[in-house]
């Protein structure tokens, strides 16, 4: 199946099984804003817990924070967001559609990459096991031609971005003959900068309302609380402050479902270090974060680092962790060495001294910062994409059937255990309820008595439930049940009194933490 179709199915699945709904759907929706349904909210909460505990619980020198979304507007002047948090936009005059100029060019680069991969794939099929992709890349004329085009375009693109040269961005679009996907024409406007922050007003207009911004990142809430936390927590450098919270960006190209949203959630760590040690810490966090992703078991080959060509105005090093989504490798998390830019700016704009006295060095300085920043929603999409499988199986009647199964790592699944009475009568339903009443304080359990057992298994597979327990007549005699495992579909007969420890060992976050 084409990757595009897989993605479409995934989006439909998210809706059908209560993971993600379009916001305000009965009013025809609101662009790039989504709501999480009964299963989505559970998965999302588990992702946040996996992140929070890995930061705050496992690191003695990391503490948490929950700062307000509304902040003093000068914060965004100091951080550079008022002046520099822009996207370069271009409109197609025929379709009246608006695009990000940088995204159009990135898509063009991806087309060259695709062409190269297709050549390699074709050759692989032709030459079989003896095929050497490295040698092919270095010698094949067609691949070399595409690679040269890619190199030339990439160099020109990076220079235009670094010089903030909007005319050159437009020229690249024209030279590359990039067409509007809707109208198919090259009738483009000039490229303009567009600020991504949403604003609103606080206070009554009679007194003079204050224009405030909805935060585009949670990080600034951490910076402006640096002194509060450091002093009240008696924190010693190096130390970190972690925060999870909503962020808002008026994204123009809001596509690919929950990949790019206007309201989303971030999980950010600002780690404060001695000046001069920041690049060492940057390397450490880069690896720590990659380990966190790979502990989920979705295959190392599906992740890669992407070094930034153009550094943000606050950074002296930056890397993304990318995952191979059905629409290609894309950023899930960013790791930045933010220098002392933010704290120095807040010191300057607030007039308050923001320094740390380092007893080891016997001197005061403005700490440097290494940041790790990941979107909860993007992580959610990554997990859904990696977990979605369509499999051919043998149905109850012995005939071929299909199942959709979400192989979500057990500690993150919305429901851990489904308890299914074989039938409603003969006291089986009551026994099933009894089991749930005993286990519901430990796990998110679901009771289901409707339809055949096969259909009930399919429903649980489709939301990723790792264990289904069936209560039958033997249960009433010997206090045993059948437990069925999601991935293998194998079944065991186990004692009810053993269920808790059996399930605990599989669904505990400790299972993931042990791999970090
Ligand atoms: N404080 C640094 C910062 O905000 P960023 O690269 O702009 O850096 C960090 O964002 C992460 O937030 C991204 O890697 C992505 O996972 C998530 N993110 C950013 N914009 C997003 C959007 N419009 N929708 C969903 N997630 C987004």
């Amino acid at each position: 199946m084409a990757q595009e179709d897989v993605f479409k199915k995934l989006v439909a699945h998210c809706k059908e099984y209560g993971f993600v709904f379009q916001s305000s759907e009965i009013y025809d929706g609101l662009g790039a804003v989504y709501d999480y349904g009964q299963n989505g909210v559970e998965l999302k909460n588990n992702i946040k817990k996996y992140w929070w505990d890995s930061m705050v619980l496992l690191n003695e020198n990391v503490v948490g924070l929950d700062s307000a979304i509304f902040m003093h507007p000068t914060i965004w002047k100091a951080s550079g967001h008022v002046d520099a948090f822009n996207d370069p936009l271009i409109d197609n005059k025929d379709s009246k559609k608006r695009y990000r100029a940088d995204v159009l060019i990135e898509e063009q680069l991806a087309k060259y990459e695709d062409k190269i991969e297709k050549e390699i794939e074709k050759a692989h099929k032709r030459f079989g096991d003896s095929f050497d992709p490295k040698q092919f890349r270095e010698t094949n004329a067609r691949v070399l031609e595409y690679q040269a085009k890619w190199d030339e375009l990439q160099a020109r693109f990076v220079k235009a971005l670094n010089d903030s040269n909007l005319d050159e961005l437009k020229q690249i679009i024209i030279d590359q003959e990039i067409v509007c996907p809707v109208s198919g024409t090259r009738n483009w406007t000039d490229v303009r900068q567009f600020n991504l922050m949403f604003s609103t007003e606080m206070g009554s207009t009679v007194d003079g309302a204050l224009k405030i911004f909805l935060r585009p990142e949670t990080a600034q809430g951490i910076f402006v609380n640096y002194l509060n936390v450091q002093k009240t927590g008696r924190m010693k450098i190096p130390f970190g402050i972690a925060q999870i919270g909503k962020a808002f960006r008026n994204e123009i190209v809001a596509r690919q479902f929950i990949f790019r949203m206007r309201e989303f959630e971030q999980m950010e760590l600002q780690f404060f270090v001695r000046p001069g040690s920041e690049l060492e810490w940057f390397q450490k966090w880069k690896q720590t974060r990659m380990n966190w992703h790979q502990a989920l078991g979705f295959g190392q080959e599906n992740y890669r680092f992407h070094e930034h060509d153009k550094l943000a105005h606050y950074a002296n090093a930056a890397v993304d962790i990318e995952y191979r989504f059905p629409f290609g490798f894309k950023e899930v998390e960013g790791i930045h060495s933010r220098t002392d830019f933010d704290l120095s700016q807040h010191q300057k704009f607030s007039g308050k001294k923001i320094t740390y006295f380092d007893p080891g060095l016997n001197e005061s300085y403005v700490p440097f910062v290494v940041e790790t920043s990941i979107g909860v929603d993007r992580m959610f999409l990554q997990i859904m994409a990696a977990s979605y499988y369509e499999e051919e199986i043998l149905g109850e009647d012995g005939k071929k059937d299909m199942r959709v199964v979400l192989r979500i790592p057990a500690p993150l699944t919305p429901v851990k255990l489904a308890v299914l009475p074989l039938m409603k009568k003969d006291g089986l339903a009551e026994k099933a309820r009894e089991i749930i009443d005993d286990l519901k304080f430990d796990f998110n359990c679901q009771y289901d008595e409707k339809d055949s057992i096969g259909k009930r298994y399919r429903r649980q597979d489709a939301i990723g439930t790792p264990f289904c327990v069936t209560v039958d007549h033997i249960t009433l005699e010997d206090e045993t049940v059948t437990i069925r495992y999601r991935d293998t579909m194998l079944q065991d007969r186990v004692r009810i009194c053993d269920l808790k420890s059996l399930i605990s060992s599989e669904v505990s976050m400790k299972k993931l933490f042990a791999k970090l």
Side-chain angles (χ1 to χ4, degrees):
M1 200 187 319
Q3 289 298 295
E4 223 169 82
D5 297 333
V6 174
F7 191 60
K8 274 191 198 146
K9 285 195 171 189
L10 182 64
V11 174
H13 191 86
C14 280
K15 179 173 177 196
E16 192 181 343
Y17 286 92
F19 282 91
V20 183
F21 305 128
Q22 171 76 66
S23 160
S24 323
E25 194 185 291
I26 58 168
Y27 290 94
D28 294 334
L30 187 66
V33 187
Y34 291 90
D35 300 335
Y36 287 83
Q38 64 278 16
N39 289 315
V41 66
E42 297 290 343
L43 172 58
K44 205 174 175 210
N45 284 341
N46 293 338
I47 293 170
K48 289 194 265 188
K49 185 164 169 52
Y50 176 41
W51 184 88
W52 186 266
D53 287 358
S54 75
M55 289 293 180
V56 178
L57 218 67
L58 302 193
N59 293 294
E60 223 174 88
N61 58 351
V62 175
V63 291
L65 177 78
D66 184 13
S67 69
I69 289 172
F70 292 158
M71 293 196 280
H72 195 286
T74 310
I75 288 172
W76 303 111
K77 188 78 192 148
S79 68
H81 284 82
V82 170
D83 297 319
F85 196 54
N86 300 321
D87 273 347
L89 297 187
I90 191 164
D91 291 8
N92 182 270
K93 291 181 196 163
D94 299 319
S95 66
K96 311 272 184 268
K97 292 276 174 207
R98 184 163 285 177
Y99 300 92
R100 267 176 60 178
D102 55 335
V103 171
L104 286 179
I105 298 170
E106 273 165 12
E107 284 172 356
Q108 183 70 4
L109 282 164
K111 277 186 190 157
Y112 290 130
E113 284 167 23
D114 272 359
K115 283 182 177 167
I116 293 174
E117 290 310 319
K118 282 209 177 98
E119 290 298 329
I120 294 174
E121 226 175 273
K122 263 195 314 196
H124 204 159
K125 276 193 193 135
R126 212 170 47 239
F127 297 117
D129 287 346
S130 62
F131 180 66
D132 178 353
K134 188 168 176 285
Q135 193 193 4
F136 188 77
R137 255 177 207 281
E138 288 166 359
T139 53
N140 178 269
R142 214 172 262 156
V143 169
L144 289 174
E145 185 194 326
Y146 292 138
Q147 188 61 49
K149 283 187 178 163
W150 188 94
D151 290 342
E152 191 195 334
L153 175 56
Q154 169 76 357
R156 211 176 146 191
F157 177 45
V158 171
K159 183 162 177 358
L161 285 180
N162 282 328
D163 298 347
S164 299
N165 188 341
L166 303 184
D167 292 341
E168 172 67 352
L169 285 179
K170 181 178 179 184
Q171 199 53 50
I172 293 175
I173 289 170
I174 291 167
D175 293 349
Q176 290 288 322
E177 301 183 344
I178 295 173
V179 297
C180 165
V182 176
S183 68
T185 71
R186 291 182 223 146
N187 195 5
W188 297 110
T189 62
D190 287 342
V191 178
R192 298 177 318 285
Q193 291 288 23
F194 176 85
N195 193 284
L196 294 180
M197 283 196 294
F198 285 103
S199 65
T200 185
E201 291 186 342
M202 186 180 265
S204 82
T205 41
V206 179
D207 300 340
L210 190 63
K211 181 182 177 187
I212 54 168
F213 297 100
L214 272 70
R215 64 181 179 198
E217 61 171 13
T218 58
Q220 296 304 323
I222 297 180
F223 291 127
V224 297
N225 276 292
Y226 161 79
L227 279 180
N228 286 337
V229 175
Q230 191 273 318
K231 291 215 153 67
T232 58
R234 290 176 294 119
M235 305 303 293
K236 304 235 175 326
I237 271 179
F239 76 92
I241 304 178
Q243 168 157 240
I244 300 179
K246 289 271 184 163
F248 306 84
R249 297 183 189 178
N250 196 2
E251 298 281 1
I252 294 307
V253 182
R255 275 188 291 154
Q256 283 149 343
F257 194 36
I258 55 172
F259 183 82
R260 200 177 297 285
M261 302 156 86
R262 296 200 168 104
E263 175 182 338
F264 58 101
E265 211 165 352
Q266 287 186 316
M267 307 188 280
E268 298 202 297
L269 169 78
Q270 308 300 322
F271 196 73
F272 300 93
V273 303
R274 274 183 187 168
S277 69
E278 73 275 12
L279 293 180
E280 201 181 309
W281 281 107
F282 173 77
Q283 291 303 337
K284 277 193 190 150
W285 278 110
K286 187 175 150 183
Q287 206 45 57
T288 303
R289 294 305 304 149
M290 184 58 108
N291 295 347
W292 184 88
H293 285 275
Q294 294 191 342
L296 294 175
F298 293 129
Q300 299 199 358
E301 68 286 1
N302 291 319
Y303 298 88
R304 70 180 188 194
F305 287 118
H306 170 76
E307 307 284 340
H308 284 211
D309 299 310
K310 178 183 191 272
L311 291 176
H313 57 275
Y314 48 73
N316 70 355
V319 71
D320 293 336
I321 293 176
E322 294 187 338
Y323 177 75
R324 195 201 301 263
F325 284 93
F327 42 86
F329 270 105
K330 295 279 177 215
E331 170 188 348
V332 179
E333 170 156 8
I335 298 136
H336 296 102
S337 168
R338 288 182 82 128
T339 67
D340 59 351
F341 175 84
D342 300 271
L343 291 183
S344 297
Q345 286 291 97
H346 291 308
Q347 182 167 254
K348 191 166 127 196
F349 279 72
S350 68
K352 308 276 180 338
K353 197 165 154 210
I354 308 182
T355 53
Y356 173 79
F357 177 73
D358 190 325
L361 296 177
N362 202 25
E363 67 178 55
S364 291
Y365 52 76
V366 177
F368 272 46
V369 173
V370 173
E371 168 189 78
T372 73
S373 174
I374 171 169
V376 181
D377 314 86
R378 214 170 270 189
M379 190 61 204
F380 184 108
L381 183 60
Q382 192 254 282
I383 289 173
M384 290 300 278
S387 303
Y388 183 91
Y389 284 86
E390 288 180 5
E391 291 176 353
E392 202 178 78
I393 54 164
L394 277 186
E396 283 162 282
D397 51 5
K399 288 194 186 134
K400 277 186 189 167
D401 197 3
M402 286 297 290
R403 75 160 181 165
V404 172
V405 54
L406 292 183
R407 295 184 191 274
I408 300 173
L412 301 184
T413 52
V415 177
K416 307 297 188 228
L417 165 72
V419 184
L420 321 170
L422 197 58
M423 50 180 68
K424 283 182 235 172
K425 50 184 192 172
D426 300 343
L428 298 187
E430 289 75 10
K431 189 70 194 169
R433 292 267 182 216
E434 201 182 285
I435 294 172
I436 290 200
D437 281 345
D438 185 37
L439 296 179
K440 70 183 176 193
F441 301 103
D442 298 287
F443 317 113
N444 191 353
C445 304
Q446 208 169 74
Y447 174 83
D448 191 0
E449 60 178 24
K450 199 167 176 301
D451 299 321
S452 70
I453 282 289
K455 276 195 182 145
R456 284 183 261 172
Y457 283 159
R458 283 305 85 73
R459 279 202 286 272
Q460 295 301 329
D461 288 344
I463 63 169
T465 307
F467 302 103
C468 286
V469 157
T470 306
V471 175
D472 53 25
H473 289 93
I474 304 171
T475 309
L476 302 180
E477 288 165 22
D478 67 1
E479 291 286 309
T480 64
V481 286
T482 305
I483 188 163
R484 181 250 193 198
Y485 303 94
R486 175 194 71 193
D487 294 344
T488 57
M489 295 189 288
L490 294 176
Q491 302 186 7
D492 274 341
R493 194 87 200 169
V494 297
R495 295 188 307 172
I496 293 174
C497 61
D498 290 335
L499 278 176
K500 192 158 148 183
S501 66
L502 192 157
I503 296 167
S504 287
S505 64
E506 288 303 310
V507 305
S508 164
M509 289 271 174
K510 277 190 205 161
K511 211 170 151 119
L512 297 177
F513 296 145
K515 296 190 204 163
L516 297 180

